């Protein structure tokens, strides 16, 4: 099963140094029954893209909580055994937890399929979005527009072997 783990650039550096994504339990995003129902699609590529975007939104939340963090969203795509990622059925249809899964244990970085990171051109919009995320959560339409502006940036794809260049 492919899961998407939200990180920050400093988190990616820590993962690279440790050789694993962890420690567990990890919060990740995947194609869950709730995500399928919400997205109303049977196309697995579209559903995985939706899960990736959910992880990118979670990465933005991590960034917003850390003023000294680089303003680039980071998501690591990992392949884990099917039973390793568990969705919480009590929260399956809550908008804030769509696609969210828990992984009990750390996952070796060798299980990573790719790393997705914002390009430098997204930093200004991610910075602005991180600053107003709380207001957007409270229903401020202008703040939500700013958050949406960051989400309009596509994360770039990198091979795992490119992590040293990303964290340099």
């Amino acid at each position: 099963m492919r899961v998407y783990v939200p990180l920050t650039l400093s988190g990616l550096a820590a993962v690279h140094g440790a050789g694993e994504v962890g420690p567990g339990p990890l919060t990740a995003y995947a194609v869950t029954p709730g995500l399928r129902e919400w997205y109303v699609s049977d196309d697995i590529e579209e559903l995985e893209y939706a899960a990736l975007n959910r992880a990118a939104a979670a990465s933005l939340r991590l960034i917003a909580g850390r003023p000294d963090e680089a303003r680039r969203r980071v998501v690591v795509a990992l392949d884990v055994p099917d039973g390793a990622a568990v969705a919480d059925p009590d929260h399956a249809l809550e908008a804030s937890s769509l696609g969210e899964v828990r992984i009990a244990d750390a996952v070796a970085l060798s299980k990573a399929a790719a790393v997705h990171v914002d390009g430098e051109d997204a930093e200004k919009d991610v910075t602005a979005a991180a600053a107003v995320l709380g207001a957007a959560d409270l229903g401020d339409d202008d703040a939500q527009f700013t958050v949406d502006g960051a989400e309009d940036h596509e994360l770039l794809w990198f091979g795992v072997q490119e992590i040293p260049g990303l964290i340099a």
Side-chain angles (χ1 to χ4, degrees), residues 104-120:
D105 300 311
V107 179
L109 190 55
S110 63
K111 299 295 183 186
V115 179
H116 303 272
V117 181
D118 272 317
E120 290 179 10

Side-chain angles (χ1 to χ4, degrees), residues 102-157:
R102 297 276 184 275
I103 302 168
D105 300 311
V107 179
L109 190 55
S110 63
K111 299 295 183 186
V115 179
H116 303 272
V117 181
D118 272 317
E120 290 179 10
D121 64 323
E123 287 183 25
K124 180 180 175 185
D125 289 335
V126 171
T127 299
V132 300
L133 191 57
D137 288 345
L138 294 173
D140 183 313
D141 290 336
D142 292 334
Q144 186 60 53
F145 182 78
T146 301
V147 170
D148 292 344
E151 292 175 354
D152 285 344
H153 290 275
E154 297 285 332
L155 297 180
L156 305 175
W157 184 97

Side-chain angles (χ1 to χ4, degrees), residues 1 3 26 28 30 32 80-89 99-104:
M1 170 181 226
V3 298
L26 299 170
T32 62
V80 299
D82 285 342
V86 180
D88 181 351
E100 189 174 288
V101 295
R102 297 276 184 275
I103 302 168

Side-chain angles (χ1 to χ4, degrees), residues 152-168:
D152 285 344
H153 290 275
E154 297 285 332
L155 297 180
L156 305 175
W157 184 97
F158 295 92
V160 176
Q161 70 278 11
E162 295 179 272
I163 292 175
L166 292 169
I167 60 176

